[in-house]
Amino acid sequence: MARNKEAVVLVIDVGPSMHSVLPEVEKVCSLLIQKKLIFSRYDEVGFVLFGTSDTKNELTEEVGGYEHVTVLRNIKVVDEDLVDALQNLPRGSVPGDFLDAIIVGMDMLIKKFGQTNKGKKRLCLITNAATPIKDPFEGTKEDQVNTIATQMTAQGMKMDCVIVRMKQDWETNRRVMEENDFLMSVFLNKSSSKVVYVESPTSLLGALRTRNISPVTIYRGDFDISTQLKIKVWVYKKTSEEKFPTLKKYSDKAPPTDKFATHEIKVDYEYKSIEDPNKVVPPEERIKGFRYGPQVVPISPAELEAVKFKPEKSVKLLGFTDASNIMRHYYLKDVNIFIAEPGNKKAILALSALARAMKDMNKVAIVRCVWRQGQGNVVVGVLTPNVSDNDNTPDSFYFNNLPFAEDVREFQFPSFSNLPSSMQPNEKQQDAADKLVQMLDLAPPGKQEVLPPDFTPNPVLERYYRYLDLKSKHPDAAVPPLDETLQKITEPDVELLSRNKSILEEFRRSFELKDNPKLKKSTRRIMKERPSGSDEEREEFDKDAHAKAIDSIEYSSKTNVEKIGDVNPVKDFEEMMSRRDDPKWINKAIRDMKNRIFDLVENSCEGDTFPKALQCLVALRKGCILEQEPKQFNDFLCHLCKFCQEKDLRSFCEYLTSHEITLITKTEAPDSGIPEHESRSFMVKPELDSQNVKSEAKAENDIMSIYLGGK
Amino acid sequence: MELDPDEVFRDDEDDPESEFFKERDASKELLVYLVDASPKMFSTTCHTDDEMNATHFQVAINSIAQSLRTQIINRSYDEVSICFFDTREKKNLQDLSGVYVFNVPEREDLDRPTARLIKEFDRIEERFDKEIGSKYGIVPGSRENSLYNALWVAQALLRKGSAKTADKRILLLTNEDDPFGNLKGVIKVDMMRTTLQRAKDAQDLGIAIELLPLSRPDDEFNVSLFYADLLGLEGDDLAQFKAMVGERFEDLKDQLRKRMYKKRRVRRLRFVIFNGLSIELNTYALIRPTNPGTITWLESTTNLPLKTERSFICADTAAIIQEPPKRFQSYKNETVMFSVDELSEVKRVSTGHLRLLGFKPLSCLKDYHNLKPATFVFPSDEEVIGSTCLFVALHRSMLRLKRFAVAFYGNSSHPQLVALVAQDEIMTPSGQVEPPGMHLIYLPYSDDIRHVEELHTDPNSVPHATDDQIKKASTLVRRIDLKDFSVCQFANPALQRHYAVLQALALDEDEMPEIKDETLPDEEGMARPGIVKAMEEFKLSAYGENYEEDDQKVDGKAEPSRKRKANAMKEYANYDWSDLADNGKLKDLTVVELKYYLAAHNVPVAGKKEALISRILTHMGK
């Protein structure tokens, strides 16, 4: 049996005021069960509803009272049916009494386990605590809660309370809720309870810990402040990524009749000699090699052991420094937490004193850690104080790894203040940005922070487990779209955006963004990379592109053309050809134009780009005659036709013929070797370049030399 | 080929980490250092950190040596060549005078750095005068043009490899801002023209030429004289370059070393501010843990690398199969199958861009909201003009209002919530310490956060420090203050050791180098009377008079262990231990029985049976 087996009783409020959030409650509870089915098969779960019209529990039979509390399931090992049951919670009709329900849940745990299993019994209460609890027969409500909390501690039970508080709730029952919140705080102070308040369905999904991972210390021992003063600490992981589950590879080789087939696949590695690929080298004939530049340096295990860096297990203080010296982005990995050894009062005090002093002075501690004996490296990190604000929890430190000198790349970037003025925001733009940063606020005062990491579930995992359950029922089901609650994590809140519509509009107007017209289409990556090709987005994109195209025309007219864009290539070409500041522009213009024409022809869809390509070709022809570069054009035209024939774009050749495009003839440019009657020869002999050369050479022998000279 | 044994057993298909930590460099870098070796480089000195007066030549070669060392660890696939010009001797394929290509055996002129290159280059200074020599290459009355020759040689070296797959760079280190200054008339004009043409030809071939000018505070390097034309600097670029050169840096060497780095973009991102408005960002990995590199398995007899072959074997039938198309998870006693496409669809919860969700005050970003190294983002106008302006505006607002942006990064393998924290530029006399831009910090989800503190809660309330104790602690904190602590001041001792050993082995040296562990606390400093006194006072305040005794006693735990010990003492008396040990009969006892002895003598009771027996024997002195 699993060592960390736990028993949970889910206590869920299904009263009328809860109906709106019950879909999320169903999801989070069924996820809890699903994860138990996968990761902790032997955990036990019980299941109590309150606010139901019916009453069904043992206490009401034994002592009476406890109405509207229904035990849907007694505590037993998790099973498949439970997931379905939780996905279809009945809607109750009566405002529930959470205290009654807690007592029923406790009673179930006591009856099942008695005094055993201390610390592994848990109650999970989900309610909005918006309705008053009944007055007790004697004493006050507070006394009653006190008694229950004491009992809970004595029995070694823990309680997680998730209190759902959507904002409209406050308006109706402020007094009741304040009273209930007070009672909850009694639980918090008098027992091992945790109370969290959530204000959005998304947070509700993240508020309940769905997977029970028992924390393991990574270090227990001395924290050496100096050689004379050592504080006993335990170090745990504070954050550790819950990875996407590793799925096994499926083998379909086992016969379908084999009921015990595992369908698993083993991966086998063989190391083979390079000289003789058939020879498998056994492990004892292998030696580890490390790369050093192009060399691979072999090191035997014995050598490695002899030269390895072997620091002693320890945690040592190097000193304190101003918190501002350690920038947030230097935190390197997941986070650990340093807590004083439990029960060691003096150590708790010493750590608490340090934490509070450091917090007051805004200091952090730099420490050097070797967590385990035999660990081959040391870790340098920073301790930041985590001062607890309640009496039950000891003060502690967060530990973050810091980089070594080798881990940092000191790239230099231009100062923003040195940027050209076109890249500096003006006053109006700065003002628009200020407003945006202020108003797109995810942590408005008086309200709960939106998407706090502590309450935000991983949308991918949520989606995976739901899909898993769906697939277990319908093996062919497609991946359902991301549901609305989870979309709140991946996309901006529509309500927040619409509330700040005018600010967004002003911001949009203040900044002018346009595509860089100098960039060739083929190198334009970002805009092409659109993994989700939703229609809506494509539309938006098209609009963008259109707007940008207009921008780019404006832009190109302003500057010296250095590249032929795809918006107005003919104009660009002509401008570039007429640039007289450097003869290189002519060659570049011709070269770029050729590329542009190729792009146009190649990217055509049923000839839609042909007219534009033709325009370009005409312009190029004209330019080549003007600059007396007939060969450039003639070669290109032949090449283009050949290309079209190969690429099944014959229609373009026909298109050209029908528009009377010809080679540049001798009459047009003396350098051309093409006599008048052969000006259409590119159509007739569209084979290889060399053959073209030959056929022309036959017609006029002296051209040969020009061609050879040119190549 | 290269398989880390630990890597082998990891899931091969979706390990986002490996992709994340690998910088995406499809292209390698080919780099030629062109170092001016003219007498002027030797006669000009400047102030550096370690030596009071180093010549410019020394500064140049020291920075190159340092950068070679970094390169062999971090980017050993890049190829490099070191080429001096204005030299007495010549050594280059073109046999041009005044140019000397430095190299070591078993290495092409432009090749990956080797242990030997590093070692010999470290000794270049002592050998330089004898083997290479320094001599002005451009003198009146001669048509020799050493700068032209140098550019030609560098360009010829860089002919290797296609411009598409390799970044080609020439880094020119010189302190002469007017190389043709001592010439006159037509010759000067002509030589300048041909040199500029040479540089332009190289640039047309896709070779970037960068200038690292060495200047003295009193004698500014004037880029406009010649080099602006050579580099093709105009307008804003020129102004920016001048501004950079003009800054007076205390440590020239440090500055050179930093500029030698080629900034490598990891990827280009689209940052969607809101629908229809998005800017272009480049991401850079400024901080990534460096590890000792991958292991290559070699055949021990020949030291030749081994080829690794992976095969999939069906566990049921032992048939060898191709890469299977389906994955499965056991769930509800069933096998639920997924195709690879379905799994990637599940992970695709957003477009591949960075989407702004909103802003929060910096206090919302807690110290435990961290999972992996941050990524630096800097705007780019390469594709979308106006990106930089918008970014700068947001950057300034965020700094001023002390807010960070929350965004969703919909990367296909690992979609995550991220915090974008604006970082203002920090300049010190020795240069830029923190570049301006934003750091993208990967936030954990609730699934990733553990509530460890709850384990340690105690309904009976735990003690918190009193004001006096806090005061004493404050004094201590003030005493042990690391004033100039900078985050990356320590070299990683494990890594240093590893590479020092590799270098020694690669060069067949017998002696293993000693590496100093800089991360150990400063014992001497801690022993200063002021600190010791503060320490004692704090100890007294938190622990009371008897620190030594109390240290061992732990409430709650003490009770059961004492009981256990009492039991052990009782049982212990039932055995004749020394007799058992002498006759080798200890092994016949059970582990529980052996532990009676150990517990009774306060010896650790952990371990396997053999360990327990040997511990008992040791304790008996046998």
Side-chain angles (χ1 to χ4, degrees), chain B residues 517-541:
Chain B
D517 185 352
E518 302 166 349
T519 63
L520 282 166
D522 172 15
E523 305 265 340
E524 243 173 73
M526 289 286 203
R528 279 201 296 269
I531 293 180
V532 173
K533 183 163 166 275
M535 192 81 72
E536 285 305 322
E537 276 178 9
F538 171 63
K539 194 155 99 179
L540 190 69
S541 157

Side-chain angles (χ1 to χ4, degrees), chain A residues 253-312:
Chain A
K253 289 283 185 270
T257 48
D258 184 357
K259 287 216 173 53
F260 301 102
T262 60
H263 295 290
E264 284 178 26
I265 287 176
K266 285 190 208 144
V267 187
D268 189 51
Y269 288 92
E270 281 184 342
Y271 295 88
K272 292 188 173 169
S273 156
I274 285 195
E275 289 167 322
D276 176 10
N278 294 321
K279 186 183 154 204
V280 175
V281 180
E284 61 273 17
E285 283 174 31
R286 295 200 305 249
I287 184 167
K288 275 181 187 173
F290 289 93
R291 287 200 171 276
Y292 191 66
Q295 280 162 289
V296 180
V297 182
I299 303 186
S300 69
E303 271 179 307
L304 196 63
E305 195 49 41
V307 299
K308 216 172 128 187
F309 181 62
K310 282 183 243 104
E312 284 288 310

Side-chain angles (χ1 to χ4, degrees), chain A residues 409 411, chain B residues 23-25 27-30 75 78 167 169 261-267 283-285:
Chain A
R409 288 171 192 81
F411 293 160
Chain B
E23 280 175 68
R24 274 215 320 201
D25 304 332
S27 65
K28 62 177 176 183
E29 186 181 86
L30 306 180
R75 305 168 281 136
D78 292 348
D167 260 333
R169 287 204 297 158
Y261 280 119
K262 166 103 179 156
K263 273 190 292 227
R264 294 191 179 203
R265 180 172 73 194
V266 179
R267 56 171 59 98
T283 66
Y284 299 87

Side-chain angles (χ1 to χ4, degrees), chain B residues 30 158 162-164 166-170 199-209:
Chain B
L30 306 180
L158 290 170
S162 98
K164 280 200 183 99
D167 260 333
K168 299 181 178 184
R169 287 204 297 158
I170 297 175
K200 206 173 102 43
D201 287 351
Q203 281 159 334
D204 286 348
L205 288 170
I207 298 172
I209 301 180

